[in-house]
Amino acid sequence: MSASTTTEKTAPVKTAAEKTGAHTEEAAAVIDDARNRIDTLDDRIIGLVQERMAVSAVIQEARLTSGGRRINLSREMEILASYRNALGRPGTSLAMTLLELCRGRA
């Protein structure tokens, strides 16, 4: 087949329902709205985590300059318990990730 006889195929444009996995346009609109809200929440969560990291750095610096250790394990256990109590077992994993992010570099 020559180049002049081939037709260029383009991907068909997906409907909102196809993009979201919904079976109706109405459900797709609900999903799109909810996804936008989730994106906004994720942006806020990221900002809060960054703020938590900065506050944790202040605490660590104060502890170190006073002759203490960088990490307070009993405080970390309190945080783990708090997240576990509020969110169940996955909360423990989330708290561990936050603690790891907030410990900074050793």
Side-chain angles (χ1 to χ4, degrees):
M1 227 191 280
S2 69
S4 61
T5 61
T6 61
T7 57
E8 188 175 316
K9 293 186 179 182
T10 58
V13 176
K14 290 186 177 183
T15 66
E18 291 171 329
K19 289 178 188 176
T20 62
H23 291 280
T24 66
E25 292 299 321
E26 294 79 18
V30 169
I31 292 168
D32 277 340
D33 181 54
R35 285 181 175 171
N36 288 332
R37 290 178 17 221
I38 285 174
D39 290 344
T40 299
L41 289 168
D42 284 344
D43 289 343
R44 289 172 48 197
I45 290 167
I46 290 167
L48 288 170
V49 169
Q50 291 170 331
E51 184 178 349
R52 189 187 194 289
M53 291 168 67
V55 172
S56 183
V58 169
I59 292 168
Q60 289 176 43
E61 180 65 25
R63 193 180 299 121
L64 287 170
T65 58
S66 72
R69 299 179 67 174
R70 187 171 60 88
I71 297 171
N72 181 332
L73 294 178
S74 63
R75 173 65 178 150
E76 288 194 357
M77 294 305 291
E78 290 174 12
I79 292 166
L80 290 170
S82 175
Y83 274 76
R84 183 180 55 250
N85 291 339
L87 303 172
R89 190 185 336 206
T92 303
S93 297
L94 177 59
M96 285 298 299
T97 299
L98 284 171
L99 291 170
E100 184 178 345
L101 284 168
C102 293
R103 285 181 186 142
R105 301 189 189 271

